[in-house]
Amino acid sequence: MKKKITLKQIARELDVSISTVSKSLRDSSEIGEETRLKVQAFAKFYNYKPNNIALSLKNRKSKAIGIIIPEIVHHFFSTVINGIEQVANEHGYSVIICLSDDSFDKEVLNMEMLANGSIDGFIMSLSKETQFKADFHHITEVINQGMPVVMFDRVTNEILCDKVIIDDKSAAYEAVQSLIDNGKKKIALVTTVDYVSVGKLRTDGYIKALLDNGIPFDENLIIKIENVDTCEIIISKLLQDKAIDAVFAVNELFAVTCIKTANKMGLRVPEDLSIIAFTDGIISKYSTPTITTVSQNGIKMGNKAAKMLIDRLESENEEEENYITEVIETHLIERESTN
Amino acid sequence: MKKKITLKQIARELDVSISTVSKSLRDSSEIGEETRLKVQAFAKFYNYKPNNIALSLKNRKSKAIGIIIPEIVHHFFSTVINGIEQVANEHGYSVIICLSDDSFDKEVLNMEMLANGSIDGFIMSLSKETQFKADFHHITEVINQGMPVVMFDRVTNEILCDKVIIDDKSAAYEAVQSLIDNGKKKIALVTTVDYVSVGKLRTDGYIKALLDNGIPFDENLIIKIENVDTCEIIISKLLQDKAIDAVFAVNELFAVTCIKTANKMGLRVPEDLSIIAFTDGIISKYSTPTITTVSQNGIKMGNKAAKMLIDRLESENEEEENYITEVIETHLIERESTN
DNA sequence: CTGAAAGCGCTTACAG
DNA sequence: CTGAAAGCGCTTACAG
């Protein structure tokens, strides 16, 4: 067991001062070559690595990014993390991930913990409960302390900060339009409860597409699901209406449940029922039939969010507050669930 | 913009010493009640929170756990992270996640970075490349520095440390046995290349089950896949042999690809072909047919790994090196792909 | 009851 | 060319 070596120990061994060791290792020209090389050789031999914590304290920055997301087992969020990691690592930042578990309290706790010196800035997506309560004081507070925050996907207008989103409304619009273009007359919507920001926006896009095409919009064709596990009954009730020829779902879990339910009821996808879902998930690629999706491109969102945060962290003029909202383009990936 | 307040500032405002402030906030009985309450009130008002970095440096521990995993978009790993998070948070630990991307170099880099003070201990699963090279010096080094490591899932016998695994061999054995019990005569195996430890073990279990049941073991029924994206051709070649009546796959991606390929070839699952997969993933639950799996119970693995690490971190007698390997039980979840 | 001092591991402006 | 000192934000043994 050989503990990590410190500057102090090197200094003692070599009988020089700590300052001399520090400067030598940072290749300072202040130090004579002989001393410098001697110190460097010694440090290398003992595999000296500076202590990050001491550096953080000294520099008052940690070169770490905090990520707060609702859940990690959702493929979309994993994808975003991947995107963030890529860019962060390129720029010498590490990444600390905390899960809010869609709970307001955990979100607040995690943010407070990370904000106390552990990280230089946040990338986050709001928990459901936070969106429901519409209480964002913890975020305001962090921003007021001068710590930059980038929000993605589940964002809110009530906070001024950089954001990375997709245009949920127009992406939904296009998806529904494509169904209409394919001759679908009666399109149902399977969405979340309204307080989930992206669910609401996608609903708006759905409605607008219908109206723009002169299709009467029917409340009964919209179902708002709170809990994925119990949605099968609601969906099967919806599909009783045999005239429904397409379903637009705001995520792939809803979509695949529609397919399964439809199959059980003797409906074939896509012959009797076309289905499109929002997602960047993996189920769509492997379900039978595979599902046509509006791709959210989580990698790109993550890349962009990390880039925005790091830019802000490393910009000189910290005070300029020209926050921007980056909109990542989406596109329809046509698979077997539509015809 | 009001920056975070420090002990020093409180001391100055209140015209007392930093020590007095510190002690007051920690409810030290050394301090007079009046002063103590005054300081506490002031601190509360200004929302004082101690700086984690300073505490880490002072205490020489960070109360953070480092997780190094190959990939985050695999449902199994996300599940394990979830399990780790739960226990870690309960014990006041935060979690830092780094991805090795199945690359040896990234694994080494990430470990070195985290080992320099950022975390108190590691929980990790080896990257493919690390298993292939069988180079574990970075892990040995960390352990030698006195930093505990817990490995899970993809582990190695060459490192002595705590481990959390499932009994891959016997779980595979049981799965294959259940196929045999259901009258299957010709069971194929779709596995990974051998250097992936769990792939190898599952292969061993498969072979043993066959032999124990007096079924001749046939090399041609085993395919070892390096890359999921290109496995369809290999699988379809395997399934040409119409006598094959069951497939045992070491992960769900292989399994679902088998189903799709079989369907294209006019084979029905489970009527013509039974399929069982190792996984804790989500595809199995939503594919058509749903897939019978050997559940890996990632949550439980994560829970256990975190518990073992924290126990070691907080045990007094640091030197005892009675490393243990915890074996998490698995069980077969019967779904539609078997009969 | 309060505070000065030392220390965690490092950097850097300044003195010599 | 080298080193002592101050400082990042905190804690705590010790002095008064």
Side-chain angles (χ1 to χ4, degrees):
Chain A
M1 166 107 67
K2 42 169 186 149
K3 286 266 175 198
K4 291 201 92 57
I5 195 169
T6 65
L7 288 190
K8 199 177 184 179
Q9 288 164 53
I10 298 181
R12 187 157 37 207
E13 288 303 323
L14 260 35
D15 214 34
V16 291
S17 76
I18 295 177
S19 335
T20 301
V21 176
S22 174
K23 288 176 192 160
S24 297
L25 294 179
R26 326 201 94 239
D27 263 331
S28 160
S29 58
E30 273 188 90
I31 305 294
E33 185 170 4
E34 197 186 346
T35 319
R36 190 156 37 99
L37 293 178
K38 183 178 66 178
V39 172
Q40 287 176 355
F42 189 90
K44 174 142 203 185
F45 182 73
Y46 282 99
N47 193 25
Y48 171 78
K49 294 270 163 47
N51 179 306
N52 288 329
I53 296 293
L55 285 176
S56 290
L57 186 58
K58 181 68 191 168
N59 301 332
R60 294 141 118 258
K61 62 182 180 208
S62 60
K63 291 283 251 175
I65 292 173
I67 304 182
I68 315 261
I69 50 172
E71 254 302 348
I72 204 169
V73 293
H74 286 194
H75 198 268
F76 168 67
F77 287 118
S78 307
T79 310
V80 175
I81 291 179
N82 243 275
I84 295 172
E85 270 261 341
Q86 287 172 0
V87 173
N89 288 169
E90 272 168 31
H91 290 79
Y93 283 78
S94 60
V95 154
I96 301 186
I97 301 169
C98 286
L99 308 178
S100 67
D101 237 344
D102 267 322
S103 135
F104 175 76
D105 290 341
K106 274 197 81 178
E107 185 175 294
V108 173
L109 238 50
N110 281 328
M111 282 195 81
E112 282 180 355
M113 180 182 66
L114 293 185
N116 293 317
S118 305
I119 60 153
D120 298 337
F122 282 104
I123 296 178
M124 69 182 302
S125 192
L126 295 168
S127 83
K128 267 191 202 168
E129 206 187 341
T130 307
Q131 295 208 333
F132 180 63
K133 298 179 88 148
D135 180 347
F136 309 110
H137 77 273
H138 51 304
I139 304 173
T140 314
E141 199 161 284
V142 159
I143 293 176
N144 282 342
Q145 284 163 9
M147 184 168 282
V149 173
V150 177
M151 296 181 120
F152 72 91
D153 195 56
R154 298 213 212 134
V155 304
T156 172
N157 287 326
E158 294 187 36
I159 295 283
L160 288 177
C161 68
D162 292 321
K163 288 164 196 166
V164 182
I165 52 171
I166 55 175
D167 188 337
D168 286 282
K169 184 169 171 181
S170 81
Y173 185 99
E174 281 167 32
V176 173
Q177 183 66 53
S178 86
L179 289 169
I180 296 172
D181 291 347
N182 280 325
K184 306 304 166 193
K185 304 280 180 226
K186 198 156 184 185
I187 304 169
L189 171 69
V190 180
T191 184
T192 60
V193 284
D194 274 347
Y195 61 77
V196 177
S197 60
V198 293
K200 178 72 171 72
L201 289 167
R202 291 168 195 175
T203 303
D204 293 346
Y206 159 83
I207 294 175
K208 185 161 190 303
L210 292 186
L211 297 183
D212 283 3
N213 285 273
I215 300 178
F217 138 63
D218 178 356
E219 275 287 3
N220 297 317
L221 297 185
I222 301 184
I223 54 179
K224 299 183 180 177
I225 290 174
E226 185 125 27
N227 185 345
V228 187
D229 301 326
T230 58
C231 65
E232 204 173 321
I233 309 135
I234 317 176
I235 288 175
S236 89
K237 226 174 269 165
L238 175 77
L239 296 181
Q240 301 288 341
D241 178 351
K242 301 289 185 192
I244 289 177
D245 52 11
V247 171
F248 176 53
V250 299
N251 64 49
E252 67 176 3
L253 244 35
F254 292 171
V256 73
T257 308
C258 284
I259 293 180
K260 298 220 159 234
T261 311
N263 284 159
K264 275 185 203 156
M265 299 171 67
L267 297 168
R268 290 160 308 158
V269 177
E271 293 81 355
D272 303 323
L273 193 67
S274 284
I275 295 185
I276 299 186
F278 257 89
T279 193
D280 201 19
I282 198 163
I283 295 175
S284 306
K285 291 183 198 133
Y286 290 101
S287 76
T288 306
T290 55
I291 303 173
T292 296
T293 62
V294 178
S295 156
Q296 297 180 75
N297 212 337
I299 296 276
K300 209 174 221 170
M301 288 186 91
N303 286 162
K304 194 68 205 177
K307 211 161 299 174
M308 287 168 89
L309 183 64
I310 292 173
D311 278 356
R312 205 164 275 282
L313 288 174
E314 302 192 339
S315 78
E316 301 304 308
N317 39 357
E318 289 185 21
E319 298 305 326
E320 55 163 320
E321 292 197 344
N322 51 345
Y323 294 125
I324 64 181
T325 295
E326 187 82 26
V327 179
I328 301 293
E329 70 278 22
T330 55
H331 58 284
L332 210 59
I333 300 181
E334 310 239 17
R335 298 208 183 91
E336 298 163 0
S337 68
T338 51
N339 51 12
Chain B
M1 165 108 69
K2 44 171 184 141
K3 286 266 173 197
K4 292 200 90 60
I5 196 169
T6 65
L7 288 191
K8 199 178 182 179
Q9 289 164 52
I10 298 181
R12 187 158 37 208
E13 288 303 322
L14 260 36
D15 214 34
V16 292
S17 77
I18 295 176
S19 334
T20 302
V21 176
S22 175
K23 288 175 192 159
S24 298
L25 294 179
R26 327 200 94 242
D27 264 331
S28 161
S29 58
E30 274 189 272
I31 304 294
E33 184 169 5
E34 197 187 348
T35 319
R36 193 156 36 99
L37 293 178
K38 183 178 65 175
V39 170
Q40 287 176 355
F42 189 91
K44 174 141 202 184
F45 181 73
Y46 281 99
N47 194 24
Y48 170 79
K49 295 269 162 48
N51 179 306
N52 287 329
I53 297 291
L55 286 176
S56 291
L57 186 58
K58 180 70 190 167
N59 300 332
R60 292 140 119 256
K61 62 183 179 204
S62 61
K63 291 284 248 175
I65 292 174
I67 304 182
I68 314 261
I69 51 171
E71 255 302 348
I72 204 170
V73 293
H74 286 194
H75 197 268
F76 168 67
F77 287 118
S78 307
T79 311
V80 176
I81 292 180
N82 242 275
I84 296 172
E85 269 261 340
Q86 286 171 2
V87 174
N89 288 169
E90 272 168 30
H91 290 78
Y93 283 79
S94 60
V95 153
I96 300 186
I97 302 169
C98 286
L99 308 178
S100 67
D101 236 344
D102 267 324
S103 136
F104 175 77
D105 290 341
K106 274 197 81 176
E107 185 174 294
V108 173
L109 238 50
N110 281 328
M111 283 196 80
E112 283 181 353
M113 180 182 67
L114 293 185
N116 293 316
S118 306
I119 59 153
D120 297 338
F122 282 104
I123 296 179
M124 69 182 301
S125 191
L126 295 169
S127 84
K128 266 190 201 168
E129 206 186 341
T130 307
Q131 297 209 73
F132 179 63
K133 297 178 89 148
D135 180 347
F136 310 109
H137 77 274
H138 51 304
I139 304 172
T140 315
E141 199 160 282
V142 159
I143 294 176
N144 282 342
Q145 284 163 9
M147 183 168 283
V149 173
V150 177
M151 293 181 130
F152 72 92
D153 195 56
R154 298 212 211 136
V155 305
T156 173
N157 287 326
E158 294 186 36
I159 296 284
L160 288 178
C161 67
D162 291 323
K163 289 165 195 163
V164 182
I165 53 172
I166 55 175
D167 187 338
D168 285 283
K169 185 170 172 180
S170 82
Y173 185 100
E174 282 167 32
V176 173
Q177 183 66 53
S178 86
L179 289 169
I180 295 171
D181 291 346
N182 280 324
K184 304 306 163 193
K185 304 282 179 223
K186 197 157 184 183
I187 303 169
L189 171 69
V190 181
T191 184
T192 61
V193 283
D194 273 348
Y195 61 77
V196 177
S197 59
V198 293
K200 178 72 171 72
L201 289 166
R202 292 168 194 175
T203 302
D204 292 347
Y206 160 85
I207 294 175
K208 185 161 190 302
L210 292 186
L211 297 181
D212 283 3
N213 285 274
I215 300 180
F217 138 62
D218 178 357
E219 274 286 3
N220 297 317
L221 295 186
I222 301 184
I223 55 179
K224 298 183 181 176
I225 289 174
E226 184 124 29
N227 185 344
V228 188
D229 300 327
T230 59
C231 66
E232 204 173 321
I233 309 137
I234 316 175
I235 288 175
S236 88
K237 224 173 269 166
L238 175 77
L239 296 181
Q240 300 287 338
D241 179 352
K242 302 288 183 192
I244 291 177
D245 52 12
V247 172
F248 175 53
V250 299
N251 64 50
E252 67 177 0
L253 243 33
F254 293 171
V256 73
T257 307
C258 284
I259 293 181
K260 298 221 158 233
T261 310
N263 284 159
K264 276 186 202 156
M265 299 171 67
L267 298 167
R268 289 160 308 158
V269 177
E271 292 81 356
D272 303 323
L273 193 67
S274 283
I275 295 186
I276 299 186
F278 255 93
T279 193
D280 201 19
I282 197 164
I283 295 176
S284 305
K285 291 183 200 137
Y286 289 102
S287 77
T288 307
T290 54
I291 304 172
T292 296
T293 62
V294 178
S295 156
Q296 298 179 75
N297 213 336
I299 296 275
K300 210 174 220 169
M301 288 186 91
N303 287 162
K304 194 69 205 177
K307 210 161 298 174
M308 287 169 90
L309 183 63
I310 292 172
D311 277 356
R312 205 164 276 279
L313 288 174
E314 303 192 338
S315 79
E316 300 303 308
N317 39 356
E318 289 186 20
E319 299 305 327
E320 56 163 320
E321 293 196 344
N322 52 345
Y323 294 124
I324 63 181
T325 295
E326 187 82 25
V327 179
I328 302 293
E329 71 278 21
T330 55
H331 58 283
L332 211 59
I333 301 181
E334 310 238 17
R335 299 210 182 89
E336 298 163 1
S337 67
T338 50
N339 51 12

